[in-house]
Amino acid sequence: MDVATENYMRLPPLSRTVATFTFAVSAGIVLGILPAQYFIFHTFYLWRFPPQIWRLVTSFFVTSPGLGLLFDTYFLYSYLSQMEVGNPRFPRKEDLIWYLTFVCGTILVANHITGFGFMSFLPALILAMAYTVTQEQRGAKVNYMFITMPAQLMPFAMLAINLLFPGGAMNLLLQLHGLFAGHLFDFLTKTWPNYGGGRNLIPTPVVMSRLVQSVESFISARTAGGSRPAGQRLGGGSTSGSGSGASTSSGGPLPDSWRTRGPGQRLG
């Protein structure tokens, strides 16, 4: 394994996977290798048979044209890694996956209700993550576009900067969907339990935890199965021969791609 690959594998696993997928899909679209119409969102395709439900996911991983391929991918990785590594609000993988599921779902619902008809939502997702991250950095100072400001003002600066570019007003409207989704998650999971005397209204579902644990167990078993010596069982046990007793040992650890928590990048 060369140095570049080794450094890549040390990155936070969920963040690097999502950022890599986003870059690969968007680069394929820009180069004309992948047709954009198979990745964008439109309710028409959801009502066809069979329904193209993958659009509910892929529409969040298509970057803006031009420099958006680089900048959107960078900001996506930056904010996602800050939530994945060392953030007390997301101590488990399933908590972060549930956050992404809730926020993306809220953005889709808001898009339907407002009727703007947006077909890709990565800017909204990035704004939602920026809001969530910076709420945990209150009191800190960050730099954005060479301007130093309190961390919690970063999402609003990201909204305002759109007005400096042609067509930025529509991108601002799209990002407002993300601001709403991020604020709603923060209110239901933090503000209301801490200041309203209630409880977390959207805890991570048990089924989400079980699904993540099942995937981790499957990968662990596949890894152990691919590297076990001859005569060793998949569960980590080994047999000493026909007619003799079997001794067992604990299964192999999770692969580095799941248990390594590399250093995240903090904006500013």
Side-chain angles (χ1 to χ4, degrees), residues 14 83-99 200 202-210 212-213 216 258 261:
L14 182 60
M83 290 191 287
E84 184 175 3
V85 179
N87 193 315
R89 296 191 65 182
F90 308 102
R92 305 173 300 171
K93 284 187 180 67
E94 53 263 41
D95 297 325
L96 182 53
I97 294 174
W98 171 239
Y99 166 84
N200 183 355
I202 50 170
T204 303
V206 175
V207 65
M208 181 73 72
S209 298
R210 291 177 178 174
V212 172
Q213 292 168 7
E216 289 181 331
W258 280 81
R261 309 284 282 188

Side-chain angles (χ1 to χ4, degrees), residues 41-107:
F41 175 84
H42 198 291
T43 53
F44 170 78
Y45 296 104
L46 298 179
W47 293 108
R48 296 183 62 181
F49 185 83
Q52 300 178 8
I53 58 175
W54 67 81
R55 296 175 182 271
L56 297 172
V57 177
T58 58
S59 56
F60 286 91
F61 303 113
V62 178
T63 66
S64 304
L67 292 177
L69 177 63
L70 298 178
F71 285 106
D72 288 350
T73 303
Y74 167 76
F75 284 120
L76 174 66
Y77 171 79
S78 178
Y79 290 121
L80 189 55
S81 63
Q82 290 181 61
M83 290 191 287
E84 184 175 3
V85 179
N87 193 315
R89 296 191 65 182
F90 308 102
R92 305 173 300 171
K93 284 187 180 67
E94 53 263 41
D95 297 325
L96 182 53
I97 294 174
W98 171 239
Y99 166 84
L100 294 173
T101 302
F102 177 84
V103 166
C104 291
T106 302
I107 292 172

